[in-house]
Structure formats: C-alpha cells, structure tokens
Amino acid sequence: MHTFVRVPVAALMVYKATASLSPAEQMLATIVGGLIALAAHGGKTAARAAVTPSPEPFSNGALSLTEDAVAIGLTWLATRHPYTAAGLVLVGLAFVVVILRFVLRSLKALFRGAEEQIEHGSPAPAA
C-alpha cells in the first residue's frame, strides 16, 4: 500500500516545491522526485524483507531506529545544507542500483538451472 501512497505524494511535494521553475523544469523535477521516491522505497522494502525473517528481535529494532534516524537526519540536512543532502541521496541511489543489479544477477543464476529443466522437460533432481 505504501508504494501507491509514497511515490505520488513525493512527486506532488516536488511539484509544489518547484513552483517557481518553468513548467518543463517543474515537470522534469516532479518525475525525478517520483523516481527517487520509488528507488528509496524499493531499497527500504528490500532491506525490510531481508531483516524481518530474522528470529532475533534486535535486528528489526535496529533497522527501524536506523530508518528513523536517517529520515530525520536527512530532512534536517536538506533544510540546512541542500547540496550535501542531494549528494548523499545520489550516493544512496547509486548504492541501491548496485545492490539491485547484484540481486537480479543472483536470482538469474539461481533460476538458470530451473529454466533449462522446464525448457527440456527433464525431471527435477532429487534433493
């Protein structure tokens, strides 16, 4: 549900924040803002999915506290030093892209054998 709320709301916030720009620049900023929100939400969702199954409670609590601290800290930094905050956001986005590529490659390698078995109709190996 958050995906259908966070991304459009972020885009609307960028749209209102860039009201002084030309319409073309405002629309470009809105699209970029929405894409950044989508990438950030995807990264957060992936981290949450990786940590939530952990049997011990400390990693879940630590992740929640870290998410809160980053959100508050980045918001403060954006109001005081917007270029520094933008740089940190770009570094974070680059990190998300690198991790996403790694995960996709790993998933392709994991399912490569299953894809070949489906194509050739051979039975699955006994476990």
Side-chain angles (χ1 to χ4, degrees):
M1 188 64 169
H2 283 255
T3 303
F4 300 110
V5 175
R6 287 183 182 183
V7 176
V9 168
L12 286 172
M13 289 174 61
V14 172
Y15 181 79
K16 291 299 281 182
T18 58
S20 63
L21 299 176
S22 72
E25 292 171 331
Q26 188 178 22
M27 190 54 61
L28 179 64
T30 301
I31 292 169
V32 169
L35 290 174
I36 289 172
L38 182 63
H41 177 63
K44 180 179 177 181
T45 302
R48 180 59 66 188
V51 172
T52 297
S54 173
E56 47 83 24
F58 299 109
S59 59
N60 288 313
L63 182 61
S64 291
L65 288 174
T66 302
E67 288 172 349
D68 293 343
V70 168
I72 292 168
L74 194 55
T75 301
W76 176 85
L77 194 62
T79 61
R80 303 289 186 217
H81 308 284
Y83 293 113
T84 304
L88 287 174
V89 167
L90 290 175
V91 168
L93 285 173
F95 179 72
V96 167
V97 168
V98 168
I99 294 299
L100 183 61
R101 291 186 67 191
F102 173 74
V103 168
L104 289 176
R105 284 183 186 166
S106 297
L107 287 173
K108 284 181 183 178
L110 177 66
F111 291 111
R112 188 169 295 129
E115 181 180 316
E116 291 171 3
Q117 287 179 357
I118 291 171
E119 287 175 1
H120 300 299
S122 60

Tab-separated table of all heavy atoms in Angstrom, residues 39 43-44 47 87-103:
chain	number	residue	atom	x	y	z
A	39	ALA	N	12.795	4.579	-5.881
A	39	ALA	CA	14.041	3.866	-5.604
A	39	ALA	C	14.281	3.748	-4.094
A	39	ALA	O	14.674	2.679	-3.605
A	39	ALA	CB	15.214	4.585	-6.263
A	43	GLY	N	14.409	0.238	-2.005
A	43	GLY	CA	15.541	-0.129	-1.150
A	43	GLY	C	15.115	-0.423	0.272
A	43	GLY	O	15.569	-1.393	0.891
A	44	LYS	N	14.218	0.396	0.790
A	44	LYS	CA	13.730	0.187	2.151
A	44	LYS	C	12.937	-1.119	2.234
A	44	LYS	O	13.077	-1.876	3.193
A	44	LYS	CB	12.852	1.365	2.571
A	44	LYS	CG	12.312	1.241	3.960
A	44	LYS	CD	11.463	2.434	4.338
A	44	LYS	CE	10.888	2.220	5.730
A	44	LYS	NZ	10.040	3.307	6.149
A	47	ALA	N	15.381	-4.053	2.184
A	47	ALA	CA	16.074	-4.205	3.469
A	47	ALA	C	15.140	-4.792	4.515
A	47	ALA	O	15.523	-5.680	5.282
A	47	ALA	CB	16.606	-2.855	3.938
A	87	GLY	N	23.723	15.278	-2.507
A	87	GLY	CA	24.851	14.386	-2.766
A	87	GLY	C	24.693	13.051	-2.051
A	87	GLY	O	24.950	11.984	-2.622
A	88	LEU	N	24.245	13.102	-0.794
A	88	LEU	CA	24.022	11.858	-0.050
A	88	LEU	C	22.904	11.036	-0.674
A	88	LEU	O	22.984	9.802	-0.721
A	88	LEU	CB	23.689	12.166	1.407
A	88	LEU	CG	24.858	12.653	2.256
A	88	LEU	CD1	24.375	13.062	3.652
A	88	LEU	CD2	25.924	11.580	2.365
A	89	VAL	N	21.874	11.698	-1.164
A	89	VAL	CA	20.784	10.984	-1.831
A	89	VAL	C	21.305	10.302	-3.096
A	89	VAL	O	20.972	9.148	-3.377
A	89	VAL	CB	19.611	11.929	-2.152
A	89	VAL	CG1	18.621	11.303	-3.117
A	89	VAL	CG2	18.905	12.341	-0.868
A	90	LEU	N	22.143	10.993	-3.857
A	90	LEU	CA	22.713	10.390	-5.067
A	90	LEU	C	23.592	9.186	-4.733
A	90	LEU	O	23.540	8.163	-5.427
A	90	LEU	CB	23.493	11.427	-5.865
A	90	LEU	CG	22.652	12.495	-6.550
A	90	LEU	CD1	23.549	13.537	-7.220
A	90	LEU	CD2	21.706	11.881	-7.554
A	91	VAL	N	24.371	9.283	-3.676
A	91	VAL	CA	25.193	8.147	-3.247
A	91	VAL	C	24.289	6.986	-2.839
A	91	VAL	O	24.543	5.824	-3.198
A	91	VAL	CB	26.140	8.551	-2.092
A	91	VAL	CG1	26.781	7.333	-1.441
A	91	VAL	CG2	27.207	9.514	-2.597
A	92	GLY	N	23.231	7.286	-2.105
A	92	GLY	CA	22.289	6.248	-1.705
A	92	GLY	C	21.615	5.593	-2.898
A	92	GLY	O	21.447	4.373	-2.938
A	93	LEU	N	21.245	6.393	-3.890
A	93	LEU	CA	20.629	5.842	-5.095
A	93	LEU	C	21.596	4.952	-5.857
A	93	LEU	O	21.214	3.891	-6.359
A	93	LEU	CB	20.125	6.965	-6.000
A	93	LEU	CG	18.854	7.662	-5.549
A	93	LEU	CD1	18.575	8.866	-6.443
A	93	LEU	CD2	17.679	6.717	-5.558
A	94	ALA	N	22.850	5.372	-5.935
A	94	ALA	CA	23.853	4.553	-6.607
A	94	ALA	C	24.015	3.222	-5.876
A	94	ALA	O	24.121	2.164	-6.509
A	94	ALA	CB	25.190	5.293	-6.670
A	95	PHE	N	24.001	3.264	-4.548
A	95	PHE	CA	24.099	2.041	-3.749
A	95	PHE	C	22.912	1.119	-4.028
A	95	PHE	O	23.083	-0.085	-4.207
A	95	PHE	CB	24.167	2.397	-2.265
A	95	PHE	CG	24.256	1.208	-1.362
A	95	PHE	CD1	25.417	0.464	-1.282
A	95	PHE	CD2	23.165	0.829	-0.597
A	95	PHE	CE1	25.501	-0.644	-0.456
A	95	PHE	CE2	23.229	-0.273	0.235
A	95	PHE	CZ	24.401	-1.013	0.316
A	96	VAL	N	21.713	1.684	-4.092
A	96	VAL	CA	20.515	0.885	-4.372
A	96	VAL	C	20.617	0.233	-5.747
A	96	VAL	O	20.290	-0.944	-5.926
A	96	VAL	CB	19.236	1.740	-4.253
A	96	VAL	CG1	18.019	1.034	-4.827
A	96	VAL	CG2	18.979	2.115	-2.806
A	97	VAL	N	21.104	0.978	-6.741
A	97	VAL	CA	21.234	0.435	-8.094
A	97	VAL	C	22.239	-0.713	-8.115
A	97	VAL	O	21.991	-1.757	-8.728
A	97	VAL	CB	21.632	1.543	-9.100
A	97	VAL	CG1	22.059	0.970	-10.431
A	97	VAL	CG2	20.479	2.520	-9.282
A	98	VAL	N	23.371	-0.549	-7.434
A	98	VAL	CA	24.390	-1.607	-7.394
A	98	VAL	C	23.833	-2.851	-6.712
A	98	VAL	O	23.992	-3.974	-7.209
A	98	VAL	CB	25.666	-1.107	-6.680
A	98	VAL	CG1	26.614	-2.254	-6.368
A	98	VAL	CG2	26.362	-0.063	-7.532
A	99	ILE	N	23.170	-2.670	-5.591
A	99	ILE	CA	22.595	-3.811	-4.876
A	99	ILE	C	21.514	-4.481	-5.712
A	99	ILE	O	21.428	-5.715	-5.773
A	99	ILE	CB	22.034	-3.370	-3.504
A	99	ILE	CG1	23.160	-2.907	-2.598
A	99	ILE	CG2	21.224	-4.475	-2.848
A	99	ILE	CD1	24.196	-3.971	-2.281
A	100	LEU	N	20.685	-3.685	-6.379
A	100	LEU	CA	19.632	-4.239	-7.222
A	100	LEU	C	20.218	-5.086	-8.349
A	100	LEU	O	19.726	-6.177	-8.642
A	100	LEU	CB	18.752	-3.127	-7.788
A	100	LEU	CG	17.563	-3.549	-8.631
A	100	LEU	CD1	16.609	-4.388	-7.810
A	100	LEU	CD2	16.853	-2.343	-9.188
A	101	ARG	N	21.282	-4.607	-8.973
A	101	ARG	CA	21.934	-5.380	-10.035
A	101	ARG	C	22.485	-6.693	-9.487
A	101	ARG	O	22.380	-7.738	-10.119
A	101	ARG	CB	23.048	-4.559	-10.686
A	101	ARG	CG	22.498	-3.385	-11.493
A	101	ARG	CD	23.572	-2.691	-12.230
A	101	ARG	NE	24.085	-3.598	-13.263
A	101	ARG	CZ	25.174	-3.379	-13.954
A	101	ARG	NH1	25.873	-2.289	-13.742
A	101	ARG	NH2	25.581	-4.229	-14.857
A	102	PHE	N	23.079	-6.634	-8.298
A	102	PHE	CA	23.606	-7.844	-7.674
A	102	PHE	C	22.488	-8.846	-7.394
A	102	PHE	O	22.626	-10.043	-7.672
A	102	PHE	CB	24.342	-7.481	-6.373
A	102	PHE	CG	24.776	-8.671	-5.574
A	102	PHE	CD1	25.852	-9.439	-5.978
A	102	PHE	CD2	24.093	-9.035	-4.425
A	102	PHE	CE1	26.249	-10.538	-5.254
A	102	PHE	CE2	24.476	-10.131	-3.686
A	102	PHE	CZ	25.560	-10.888	-4.099
A	103	VAL	N	21.376	-8.368	-6.861
A	103	VAL	CA	20.254	-9.255	-6.544
A	103	VAL	C	19.682	-9.866	-7.819
A	103	VAL	O	19.401	-11.068	-7.868
A	103	VAL	CB	19.170	-8.499	-5.751
A	103	VAL	CG1	17.876	-9.287	-5.669
A	103	VAL	CG2	19.676	-8.151	-4.357
